[in-house]
Amino acid sequence: MGLSREALIAALLFWVIGLGLQAWRSHVLLASYDQGIFQQVLWNSLRGHPFESTLSSQLSTNVIHGGEAPALGYARLGQHFTPTLLLWAPLLALIGAAALPLVQVTLIAAAGLLLHRLASSGLPIRTANWITYGFFCGNALVGPTLGNFTDLCQLPFAVFALMLGLLERRSWLILTAALLIPLIREDTGILLVAVGLWMLLRERVRWPLAFALIAWGAGWMLVVTSQLMPLFSDDNSKRFMVENFGQYLTADKADGASSLSMVRQALGQPLTLLQELIDPPGQTVLYLLGHALPFLFVPLISLDAWVIAGPSLLGLFLAQGSNDPLSITIRYTLLVVPGFSLGTVFWWQRRSVAPPGPRTRLAWGAALALSLLLTISSNPHRSLSFLIPDSVQPWVYSTPLAQWRHGHAAREVLSVIPADASVSANTPLVPLLARRDVVVRYPDSSSYQDRSRQVVPVQWLAIDLALPERYSLAFRSDWRSLGKMRKLLAEPTRSYRVQAFKDGIVALERNGPEQPELERQLKDWLARPLPQDPRAGSRARR
């Protein structure tokens, strides 16, 4: 069965709107740190330094816990093992920064069409259409699609391709998808384990293939996390395992643990596991409801959905960390979306019912509308800030024209920085400067380690003071960052001199020529009163 006209229109609308919002985010400086990391990783890979990134080094345990400067030559593979990223490097060389949003939105749109192809092979076309609408309207899909680039955007398409190969017995497709899925990221082999378990449940006659998928997915995860990633750095054991699963580690392992060691210790604490699995219960229930809503809650009663999505959900429920794994709009939801989508397809196929009738379509349409309304109101990754305020109390909103002009001003200021210069930039400016050997995050770092491990100060500072000032009215992280940046820039002994200034964005060169008028403009900006601490303001309002 081919693709329906309705499914093609839905995918096209998703693609056009998604690319439009991604272009807007990029222009008005709402793309942030991760976008810069992926650009720099691919840019360095094209230049013969695979997976290297000083931005990624900034997040390493040596920098965060050891107090070192970010290092030139640091390979990101110690943090996340993502070989398939290299597939998109030629596109970055061809069209620059637009490559990553294009890849992300296109892969997700293509995954929706592949899901329709799977559904229409065993369902009436109208049912397949509604499942496709649910896929494109889900907050769990729209949210991460509108955010920074994530390697997990490759996962839904790859999992659907694997399932298509299994159902239609296309060996080349099974082999290709099964080979690529674990290479997307070090933890994505869990989807192969899940598909293998599903085959043991539904297609037991193909048990050798099921066990092969389980062995390949689980075995690769074990080898990568315990053997390959430590070759590049200790970040997986000393940072990510501790941050995400530290609650299971004993005192002697608190400074670091391998994935296998963590699993052994977690299994030895069944009560802690049970508590983490359901705590916090309200957030866990809302998370599942958010995933299931656009599919009219069918995944919650589909055994297939629980089998395919279950292993990923188990990992998310048992984890902790600064990036809330149960947020419905961040990248981790892409580990769950394939299972819930396929579970919906298989539930309808096993019921062998007619297409949704008028009442079902009305209820499903209401669920889709509610899902979209919740997505829009949540303003995922500030992508709708031209329409929705970032905060209501206190009021934080900037008009689209003001945001557009600010983005244009940033590009004008940054144009004075040579393409090969080392730079320290605060988060809003990082994506615009990422395609170079050295860029680190200000105010955390203004120096780096060169390839001989000598600490060297960066040549330029690039700082957007206006954007954190706007958000500091309501968000304490921005308020703290703004205060630190203003304090550093106000130091009379600083060796960086202003070379460009506009709309609160400043570029400073180390030992650069004096520009008295520009220095005065920066001094006047720094003389503005610092906004009130948002936490103090919230206490006063209470």
Side-chain angles (χ1 to χ4, degrees):
M1 183 70 70
L3 297 172
S4 71
R5 179 172 174 269
E6 292 82 0
L8 288 170
I9 291 174
L12 181 61
L13 283 173
F14 181 90
W15 187 77
V16 170
I17 294 172
L19 279 182
L21 290 175
Q22 280 283 6
W24 171 261
R25 289 184 74 248
S26 296
H27 183 82
V28 301
L29 312 185
L30 294 176
S32 55
Y33 200 76
D34 280 1
Q35 197 85 352
I37 288 177
F38 285 109
Q39 282 193 59
Q40 193 180 38
V41 164
L42 294 181
W43 188 84
N44 275 323
S45 298
L46 288 166
R47 293 167 58 85
H49 302 290
F51 299 99
E52 288 188 7
S53 171
T54 54
L55 289 169
S56 197
S57 176
Q58 184 100 49
L59 304 177
S60 67
T61 187
N62 288 354
V63 175
I64 292 178
H65 301 135
E68 297 180 7
L72 186 62
Y74 174 89
R76 184 176 180 267
L77 294 175
Q79 292 181 13
H80 293 296
F81 205 85
T82 56
T84 58
L85 273 181
L86 294 184
L87 295 172
W88 316 116
L91 190 61
L92 183 85
L94 186 65
I95 63 175
L100 295 181
L102 178 62
V103 167
Q104 180 153 296
V105 177
T106 301
L107 281 175
I108 296 297
L113 293 177
L114 198 52
L115 178 65
H116 184 274
R117 171 73 176 78
L118 280 163
S120 62
S121 63
L123 289 171
I125 199 69
R126 180 182 291 177
T127 308
N129 287 343
W130 278 96
I131 293 173
T132 306
Y133 302 155
F135 178 81
F136 285 128
C137 291
N139 196 355
L141 185 86
V142 175
T145 302
L146 296 182
N148 293 324
F149 181 83
T150 170
D151 32 35
L152 293 177
C153 72
Q154 305 162 98
L155 192 58
F157 184 86
V159 173
F160 295 159
L162 173 63
M163 189 59 70
L164 183 65
L166 290 171
L167 295 179
E168 298 187 356
R169 298 180 180 270
R170 298 186 184 185
S171 300
W172 68 269
L173 191 54
I174 296 172
L175 183 62
T176 303
L179 177 65
L180 290 177
I181 286 173
L183 303 182
I184 291 175
R185 215 171 81 151
E186 70 279 357
D187 54 355
T188 50
I190 195 69
L191 269 299
L192 283 187
V193 174
V195 172
L197 293 174
W198 175 83
M199 290 185 69
L200 292 177
L201 174 70
R202 298 301 190 191
E203 299 192 17
R204 296 175 187 172
V205 68
R206 302 170 74 183
W207 63 267
L209 179 56
F211 279 116
L213 291 177
I214 293 171
W216 166 232
W220 178 255
M221 286 192 295
L222 181 61
V223 169
V224 165
T225 56
S226 63
Q227 301 297 322
L228 297 183
M229 294 176 70
L231 296 176
F232 299 95
S233 72
D234 294 328
D235 290 315
N236 186 57
S237 61
K238 291 187 176 180
R239 184 187 162 207
F240 294 104
M241 282 296 162
V242 174
E243 290 181 0
N244 294 329
F245 301 102
Q247 67 272 37
Y248 308 111
L249 301 178
T250 55
D252 61 314
K253 297 287 187 179
D255 293 332
S258 67
S259 56
L260 192 58
S261 174
M262 186 280 297
V263 170
R264 283 199 299 263
Q265 294 205 35
L267 291 177
Q269 304 172 68
L271 293 181
T272 303
L273 278 175
L274 182 60
Q275 179 183 351
E276 292 290 336
L277 190 61
I278 61 175
D279 186 43
Q283 188 178 4
T284 300
V285 170
L286 288 176
Y287 182 77
L288 293 172
L289 291 176
H291 272 284
L293 174 62
F295 296 116
L296 200 57
F297 302 110
V298 164
L300 300 182
I301 58 173
S302 167
L303 178 59
D304 301 90
W306 286 109
V307 171
I308 301 175
S312 295
L313 283 170
L314 187 65
L316 294 176
F317 289 165
L318 296 179
Q320 59 182 8
S322 56
N323 288 323
D324 183 0
L326 296 188
S327 171
I328 197 69
T329 60
I330 65 174
R331 58 189 177 276
Y332 302 121
T333 63
L334 297 177
L335 290 162
V336 180
V337 165
F340 272 26
S341 302
L342 291 170
T344 302
V345 171
F346 295 140
W347 185 87
W348 281 96
Q349 287 178 348
R350 293 185 187 287
R351 284 177 59 86
S352 300
V353 296
R359 291 185 179 180
T360 302
R361 293 200 303 272
L362 179 62
W364 207 335
L368 295 179
L370 179 58
S371 181
L372 286 176
L373 180 62
L374 291 173
T375 302
I376 293 172
S377 63
S378 69
N379 189 13
H381 307 283
R382 294 174 173 166
S383 56
L384 301 174
S385 290
F386 63 90
L387 180 67
I388 298 172
D390 294 288
S391 173
V392 175
Q393 183 62 29
W395 183 260
V396 177
Y397 176 74
S398 180
T399 66
L401 182 59
Q403 292 185 55
W404 184 269
R405 287 174 173 170
H406 187 70
H408 183 75
R411 287 157 175 82
E412 184 177 332
V413 169
L414 298 184
S415 66
V416 305
I417 301 178
D420 59 349
S422 57
V423 185
S424 177
N426 69 324
T427 299
L429 301 180
V430 162
L432 300 181
L433 295 163
R435 282 170 289 157
R436 63 185 65 231
D437 285 331
V438 177
V439 56
V440 294
R441 177 154 58 183
Y442 191 85
D444 301 326
S445 298
S446 57
S447 60
Y448 67 98
Q449 298 180 64
D450 62 18
R451 294 191 185 275
S452 62
R453 292 297 176 260
Q454 299 298 311
V455 177
V456 181
V458 296
Q459 297 166 290
W460 288 79
L461 303 180
I463 305 162
D464 183 349
L465 292 165
L467 210 59
E469 183 174 289
R470 182 204 310 170
Y471 293 128
S472 66
L473 295 171
F475 304 102
R476 199 160 194 265
S477 60
D478 291 288
W479 180 82
R480 288 196 302 265
S481 177
L482 177 65
K484 186 175 181 180
M485 289 189 295
R486 288 175 55 149
K487 181 180 179 181
L488 291 172
L489 289 173
E491 292 179 357
T493 58
R494 61 177 167 85
S495 57
Y496 292 87
R497 299 192 177 102
V498 182
Q499 302 301 309
F501 185 87
K502 187 174 184 179
D503 199 24
I505 303 163
V506 60
L508 305 96
E509 184 182 9
R510 179 175 172 80
N511 300 324
E514 292 189 6
Q515 305 277 0
E517 176 58 25
L518 295 176
E519 292 283 354
R520 183 193 62 79
Q521 293 178 27
L522 175 59
K523 185 177 180 180
D524 290 345
W525 187 281
L526 296 176
R528 294 151 62 125
L530 184 69
Q532 183 185 26
D533 182 350
R535 182 174 295 178
S538 65
R539 287 197 296 265
R541 286 190 294 274
R542 287 198 297 268

